[in-house]
Every structure is written in structure tokens, then in C-alpha cells.
Amino acid sequence: MRRKGTLAAIPWIGPSLVLIAAIVAFPACYMVWTSTRDLTDYGQDRGSAGLDNFRALFEIRELGSVLVHTVIWVVAVVLITLVLSAGLAQFLNKDFPGRTAVRMAVLVPWAASVVMTTTIFYYMLDPDVGIANRFLVDIGLLDRGFGFTKQPTPAFLVAIGVAVFVSIPFTTYTILAGLQSIPAEISEAGRVDGASAWQRYRFLTLPQLRPAIAVATIINIINSFNSLPILQVITGSIAGFQSDTTTTLMFKLIRQNQEIDTAAAMSVLNFVLIIVIIAIYVKVIRPTQEVDG
Amino acid sequence: MKRPLHGVLAGVAMVTGLALAISSCGFGSKDSADSDTTINFLAPAYSDGATGTKALWDGIIADFQKKNPDITVNLQMESWNSINDVVRTKLQSKSTTPDILNIDAYASFANDGMLYPATEIVSPQVLSDIQPGFAKNASLNGTQYALPLFASTRTLFYNTDLFAKAGIASPPKTWAELTDAAKKIQALGGGVSGYGLPLGSEEAQGETSIWTFGAGGSWSDGDKITVDTPQNLEGVRAMRELADAGVTQPNPGATDRKDVINAFIQGKIGMIEGLPPTIGQITAKNPSLKYSTAPSPTKSGTPVTLGVADHLMAFKKDGKKTESIKKFLDFFYSADVYANFVSKEGFIPITNSAAAKLASDPVTKAFGSTLAVAQFYPSNNAKWAAAQGAIRQQMGTIAQGTDPAQVLQRIQEAAK
């Protein structure tokens, strides 16, 4: 009975199946296939490499610490973004004069290219010519500009800050959309029952926001996990791998080492990682759970 | 339901057929873009603007076609940032593979038998005109596969104003003198650094080579890559000591070459290892800077420096274009054309005839003497690419506290 139903549905879901196969399944399979090929540094296929590319990848001594950085990067960026955006969305949901202008202003970092935004931060923090450093020197806090972007740990923290900055607009708008779909009566009922502002937010608003936050979180996880430009611009010239994620390591494998086959193996690992991260998130947080269920 | 769909399909088929028919009779078809007298030339831009690389090549090609109206040269320019990706894409198919390519590394193409030997693409006169060290650097197992385009070596640039202020009489010849001079300049204060040490990931292998070569080291021995050797360790330790002494710009492990050069041009650094184009950059950005050049300091004072050459190479493909390619390259390497190209780009000529012509050119004056003591990267070794990548990534960590011996070991492992 069930099988018959599936078959009958084919004509209706067929086009989307074809689309998924063409733009998701085929590239993914091709990527896996590429990772098992022996490629020259200019991309000529020299035949099968078996698992040699993966062996080369796991021989990279820093891979373990790069994986740890990746987790710190994703968790920090997503969590800070969510907390700040939730507050910002709450504020933008209030009615105040000039609200439209403020809402538009929040969109600006999103409209600008990430490379551009990051480059502005990079120059602001430059030890010699950056205005942020200049300010710190002028008010007497520093004697000479500090290399915020010149040492692995500070630069990594700066990159997290920039990533949060560029992720906030989308997240804020998603949560704002969620807030606006909540009927005002619910909060009013809470007020009548004598709940404090925090209690109303925690027990009435937040559960209603679950779907919006779930969407924002998943998209932010994917975005920050795959983000290359921010780390590339800010930490790209720092030697060593102390501020690399798996994505920037892949870029270094292609650009600096000319090892596109090892990079292919890295991208397969990256693909598996993101699937695992999302699976854990879905399993633990259950974002699709019914609100009232 | 069936009939309209049928109509759509028929329409799609007709449009496709029409498109195929149009494309087969002219646009992008093989006979016009890929005939025996058409040369597809892919080159990177060394300089931008109205007098940049593109204008130079356009001029050379126009002059060439005036003399050889039957030969067409299609020039495609790419930035250095993207040319490797473009080459990778183009080599996937024979019809898009360039006939002549200008890039730094030729060894992997030559190893795979994709390149013409140099004897087939230029006349013997041109071959014998090329300086022997550079010809050898363009050879693999005794056969020359690439033609050096022009050379770049390094030499010490020093700010004579700062030297006078710090009371230093002559440019340093040895590392000891270099450290001493850097200390004196650093002591002047005012945000001025003694020596610019760029170990960021852009070009760390360049600066490192000057120091390891200066200790008598080398990156290869026969067909082995030798990174972890006592001489190289001595060179790297010397860099570390300079950084630890605090007489370099802050954070040498994260400073790119271009930043150090810019700071020198602004008078903020006492000494740097500069390149030929640095002279042009100083003229353009800060002509009032008082500076001079001197041989790179080494451990014992015996001069040695790093030599780098970019190359022209020709891909075999179907093997019918050698005559056209030979005509074009012979024209390019003729003394006048070549000397003009090299002096406009501000590099060092690698043919004897052009060197004679450019004897009074400021770049050739400053760098000409370094050619004889130039030592090269082992770029004809297939494993050098991995070693070079590892040097870029790891070398700067010595300025963050990593032990030089350990860094060299890791780079050696990467080159296995």
C-alpha cells in the first residue's frame, strides 16, 4: 500500500528529485570520487590513488588542533550571534520613532561583501595605520599599536568578532520574523498572571521562537563552518596553523602546497563533519519538535 | 496534456539544433582559434595600468604582427592571484591549453612530457644568449624546457639617512655587523625598526633562503630535498636571534613581504632585502627617500643571494605550431624588444645582449653584480612545491617561539 503511494507520487516529486540529484547528489559524489584520484598539481588525473589522499591528510600533524579550532569557531560564532541577535530582535520588535531606519541600519553588514567588511576591520586594527590602534595609543592605553591581527590567538578572536558582526543581520531578522508571528495575547495573559518580564520571555516567548531559532542556528552553523574569507583576510599571513579551521586548511593545501588531491580529501572530511555537526544538533536540540507537544 | 508538452520538446530541440548549427560555422570553432598560425598566449600581469604588462605585450604583439601578418597572437592576461587556477582549468582540455604560457614553475609540465624542449621553440642564437646559470635552472635532466623571462635577485636596501643618524659608516657585510647596525637603528626610536624580516605566509621561503644560503646551506642535493641540514639550521637560528633581539618590525611571523617593503619606502625600516621592482616603487611612492643598495650580508661575508626567474614555456598539443611559436619567441628575445620589456617592468635581463644594452639602467646597475652569486630554489624538483608550501606555513612560527630545529624537521617531513 505504502509503496504504491510512493510510486504514485513520482510524477509530482520527480522534478524536485531530479533537481536534488543534479545540484546536490552529483557534486557530492563527484567530490568523493575526486578524493580518490591521484592528481598532479595542475589538476591532471594520473589514475586511482585509493586512500592515499586521506592518508596524506591524516598525516598532517596539526589536523587535530585544526579540528578543535573549527569546533570553537563554530560554537563561539553561532552562540554569540544568537544571544546578541535575540536581544537586538527584541529591541527592534518594540515600537519607537525611527524604527524603520534602525532596522535598515542593521541590514547594512549583510548587504556589504564579507571580504570588504573584514578588510575594513583588518585595516582598523593595523598596528601602524589602523584607527582603532591609533585611538588606543592616543588615549594613552598603549605605547605602540598592538598587533591584534598579527598573532594567532588575538587574530582568531578578532575573526570570531567579525563573523558575529556579519551573521547578526540575518539572525536578527529571522528571530524578528518569529517574534512578530507570536500573538500579543500570550504575553498579555502572562502579565495578567503576574509573570515578570524575564519569566514571560523565558516561558512564553522563547518556546514560540523555537522554529525561527532552529532555522537561524542551522544556517549559521553551515555558514560559519564554511567561512573562508574572514579568517583568510585576518589570519592569512600568520605563520603556522594556530588560527586555522578545516576550511582555511583546505585553502592552504590548494594555494600554498598545490596539493589539490589532499585538499579534495579534506573537503570530503569537511562534508562529513558538517553532516555530523548538524545531526548532533538536530538530535540534541530537537529543533523540529512541536512547540506544544 | 500530451500535445502541448510535445510542442515544448520540439521547440527545445529546434532551438538546440539551431544553436549547434550557428556555433559550428564560426563562433569559437577550432579552425579560427586554433590554427597552426594562431598562438594562444597566457601571461600574468607584473604591473598594472596604462604602461603595465598588458600594454607592453600588446605593443610587442602589434610590432610582431606587422612583420608577420600571417601569424595571430591571442593574448590572455591574468592576475598572479588567479593564474594558477586558470592554468589548471585550461589544461583540462587540449583545445583550451595555451600554446605559450608565462609562469614561474615549469617542472611538473616538463615531467609529464607536455612541453617542447627549448631547442624546438627558439633559435640557437637566442639559447646561447641566455646566461648559463638561468639556462641550467630552466633544465630538467640536462634538457632545457623553459625560457627564463627575466630574473629577480635580492640585495640589501638600506636607508642612508637612518644609517647616518645612527652613526653607521658602511653597510653590513656579515650577520654580526647586520645585527649591530639593526640595534643602533632600532635605538633611534620613533617607531623605526632596524631590519625588516618578512616571515608571514606570503613569501617566507624567499627571506629564509637568503639566510640559509648565507650560511652555506642549500635546499637540495642531487634529487633529494635537503631542508634539515646544519647549515640551514644555522641560517634559521640567525633569523630567530634577530627577531628575539627585538630589532625587527613587530610580529615578523605575520608580516608579508609587501608590508616590509612599504614600511621601508616610508622610511620606517633601516634595512630590508629588496627586489628589482622595489627601485621603481620607491621612485613612484617616495622619491625623496635616501637609500642605497649593497650585497646581502651573509655569515662569513662571502656574497650569495637568492635568484628567481619566471619562465616562458610552450605546450606540445598537436605539435604543428613550432614554426609560429619560434618566430614569435625569437622576435621577443631580440635585443631591442627584450631589453625594452625588461627595463619597463624593472627586472634584470637574462640575455647577455640585453644586459649589455641596459648597462646603465638603475635596476641592472644595482642588481647586475648579484647574478653571478645567485643561488636558486630547486624548482625542477617535483617535491620542492611541498617543501616551499611548508616553509611558507611554518617558518614564521620561529618568531612565535617554536624551535628552529623542529620547524626544519617538519618541513623536511612535508617534502617526503
Side-chain angles (χ1 to χ4, degrees):
Chain A
M1 189 58 197
R2 179 136 189 213
R3 221 179 121 189
K4 206 174 163 194
T6 313
L7 275 180
I10 287 280
W12 310 106
I13 60 172
S16 42
L17 285 182
V18 170
L19 196 68
I20 290 172
I23 66 167
V24 179
F26 171 71
C29 294
Y30 191 69
M31 175 178 75
V32 174
W33 187 77
T34 311
S35 71
T36 65
R37 308 300 295 176
D38 179 14
L39 302 175
T40 62
D41 49 7
Y42 51 94
Q44 223 80 344
D45 195 337
R46 277 195 291 222
S48 172
L51 292 174
D52 281 354
N53 295 332
F54 289 93
R55 222 162 278 144
L57 175 67
F58 287 109
E59 269 174 17
I60 297 176
R61 194 192 310 262
E62 292 84 358
L63 187 66
S65 62
V66 168
L67 288 175
V68 174
H69 301 156
T70 311
V71 172
I72 296 174
W73 166 256
V74 171
V75 171
V77 170
V78 173
L79 272 186
I80 300 174
T81 305
L82 277 179
V83 171
L84 293 180
S85 296
L88 200 56
Q90 202 67 31
F91 169 67
L92 291 178
N93 198 33
K94 295 255 184 289
D95 208 358
F96 58 90
R99 181 172 76 164
T100 317
V102 177
R103 281 186 177 181
M104 294 311 286
V106 172
L107 271 179
V108 170
W110 198 13
S113 121
V114 175
V115 175
M116 197 172 94
T117 314
T118 315
T119 309
I120 291 172
F121 274 93
Y122 185 75
Y123 279 111
M124 267 165 48
L125 293 168
D126 185 278
D128 293 321
V129 297
I131 58 163
N133 261 315
R134 185 74 167 273
F135 176 71
L136 293 175
V137 172
D138 283 353
I139 62 170
L141 217 57
L142 294 176
D143 286 337
R144 187 177 179 168
F146 179 73
F148 291 103
T149 55
K150 302 287 180 188
Q151 290 144 36
T153 309
F156 193 65
L157 296 179
V158 168
I160 288 178
V162 177
V164 168
F165 180 75
V166 299
S167 307
I168 278 182
F170 168 77
T171 317
T172 305
Y173 268 74
T174 311
I175 297 178
L176 184 60
L179 279 176
Q180 291 185 331
S181 70
I182 302 174
E185 292 83 28
I186 295 183
S187 184
E188 260 166 44
R191 200 171 299 152
V192 170
D193 286 349
S196 72
W198 170 246
Q199 281 173 325
R200 289 200 303 277
Y201 186 75
R202 171 72 188 78
F203 297 105
L204 297 174
T205 310
L206 211 51
Q208 303 275 341
L209 282 179
R210 192 173 196 130
I213 291 177
V215 169
T217 309
I218 290 194
I219 291 186
N220 272 327
I221 289 177
I222 296 173
N223 257 346
S224 53
F225 184 83
N226 286 330
S227 173
L228 170 72
I230 298 173
L231 282 164
Q232 171 59 25
V233 169
I234 295 206
T235 71
S237 45
I238 299 176
F241 298 99
Q242 291 179 56
S243 51
D244 274 307
T245 66
T246 50
T247 307
T248 59
L249 176 64
M250 183 166 32
F251 184 78
K252 283 187 174 173
L253 285 174
I254 299 174
R255 274 295 162 95
Q256 295 179 347
N257 299 32
Q258 307 268 314
E259 289 173 25
I260 46 182
D261 43 10
T262 316
M266 180 76 243
S267 57
V268 171
L269 178 66
N270 235 10
F271 186 61
V272 172
L273 278 177
I274 188 76
I275 288 177
V276 168
I277 292 176
I278 299 272
I280 291 173
Y281 171 74
V282 170
K283 191 85 191 162
V284 174
I285 311 285
R286 296 184 181 283
T288 48
Q289 202 180 40
E290 281 301 314
V291 177
D292 302 321
Chain B
M1 259 322 263
K2 258 183 186 171
R3 237 182 240 160
L5 192 66
H6 204 80
V8 169
L9 279 179
V12 169
M14 258 172 67
V15 170
T16 316
L18 198 65
L20 280 175
I22 289 171
S23 64
S24 67
C25 58
F27 301 112
S29 73
K30 277 198 167 176
D31 42 336
S32 78
D34 213 28
S35 73
D36 297 350
T37 55
T38 309
I39 302 170
N40 294 308
F41 178 26
L42 178 62
Y46 291 91
S47 55
D48 297 318
T51 56
T53 315
K54 184 173 190 322
L56 281 171
W57 280 121
D58 280 342
I60 292 170
I61 290 168
D63 290 345
F64 172 71
Q65 288 184 339
K66 237 177 259 162
K67 289 187 185 161
N68 300 276
D70 52 324
I71 300 175
T72 320
V73 181
N74 295 324
L75 173 69
Q76 184 183 345
M77 301 287 301
E78 293 293 337
S79 78
W80 270 110
N81 278 335
S82 60
I83 193 160
N84 273 309
D85 298 330
V86 172
V87 169
R88 242 175 247 144
T89 315
K90 290 207 169 240
L91 289 187
Q92 299 301 317
S93 139
K94 222 166 212 157
S95 63
T96 54
T97 299
D99 296 305
I100 304 178
L101 172 67
N102 169 200
I103 204 168
D104 43 1
Y106 63 90
S108 51
F109 307 128
N111 258 328
D112 291 353
M114 299 168 76
L115 299 181
Y116 283 117
T119 47
E120 289 185 37
I121 49 169
V122 280
S123 57
Q125 295 92 295
V126 172
L127 275 186
S128 60
D129 199 17
I130 295 173
Q131 302 208 359
F134 288 88
K136 198 174 158 238
N137 182 242
S139 305
L140 205 65
N141 306 324
T143 310
Q144 186 178 343
Y145 282 102
L147 302 164
L149 181 70
F150 39 50
S152 159
T153 54
R154 307 294 170 87
T155 199
L156 186 78
F157 280 59
Y158 61 98
N159 185 319
T160 46
D161 266 354
L162 292 175
F163 264 53
K165 262 190 217 162
I168 308 162
S170 59
K173 287 197 178 61
T174 63
W175 290 344
E177 289 171 24
L178 173 75
T179 313
D180 189 45
K183 273 183 189 155
K184 284 180 184 159
I185 294 169
Q186 187 87 25
L188 294 175
V192 171
S193 308
Y195 182 82
L197 185 68
L199 293 182
S201 61
E202 183 197 15
E203 264 274 326
Q205 82 277 15
E207 184 72 19
T208 307
S209 299
I210 298 171
W211 289 81
T212 54
F213 294 171
S218 157
W219 296 126
S220 73
D221 179 17
D223 49 6
K224 268 201 306 262
I225 291 283
T226 52
V227 178
D228 192 9
T229 65
Q231 292 92 338
N232 289 348
L233 182 58
E234 216 172 337
V236 175
R237 283 226 170 101
M239 290 199 294
R240 166 89 190 255
E241 276 161 25
L242 201 64
D244 285 351
V247 295
T248 65
Q249 84 287 2
N251 307 305
T255 315
D256 286 343
R257 182 180 67 183
K258 59 176 193 301
D259 301 329
V260 167
I261 294 176
N262 280 331
F264 179 80
I265 295 174
Q266 290 159 22
K268 296 241 170 207
I269 291 187
M271 297 170 276
I272 59 163
E273 286 292 339
L275 308 113
T278 310
I279 293 180
Q281 283 169 357
I282 293 174
T283 320
K285 288 184 191 162
N286 186 7
S288 61
L289 183 77
K290 297 225 170 49
Y291 74 99
S292 185
T293 61
S296 305
T298 56
K299 187 183 164 227
S300 61
T302 323
V304 60
T305 194
L306 167 71
V308 186
D310 287 340
H311 295 99
L312 287 172
M313 59 205 81
F315 285 90
K316 269 182 188 164
K317 295 164 75 176
D318 52 7
K320 288 179 188 157
K321 295 190 183 184
T322 40
E323 278 317 304
S324 310
I325 293 173
K326 202 176 204 168
K327 273 186 191 159
F328 179 64
L329 291 178
D330 278 351
F331 176 77
F332 172 67
Y333 279 105
S334 61
D336 287 331
V337 176
Y338 178 68
N340 179 49
F341 180 78
V342 173
S343 71
K344 288 271 169 59
E345 287 289 12
F347 281 96
I348 316 167
I350 48 82
T351 65
N352 295 319
S353 59
K357 262 197 180 336
L358 291 174
S360 61
D361 180 84
V363 172
T364 307
K365 254 194 204 159
F367 285 91
S369 63
T370 62
L371 283 182
V373 293
Q375 197 176 328
F376 298 91
Y377 299 131
S379 40
N380 48 13
N381 190 314
K383 286 169 188 150
W384 169 244
Q388 173 172 288
I391 296 176
R392 282 186 194 171
Q393 286 154 5
Q394 308 267 355
M395 192 49 73
T397 58
I398 61 162
Q400 296 160 4
T402 314
D403 178 29
Q406 197 187 7
V407 171
L408 286 179
Q409 263 169 28
R410 288 187 178 181
I411 296 167
Q412 181 79 63
E413 276 170 35
K416 254 191 309 205

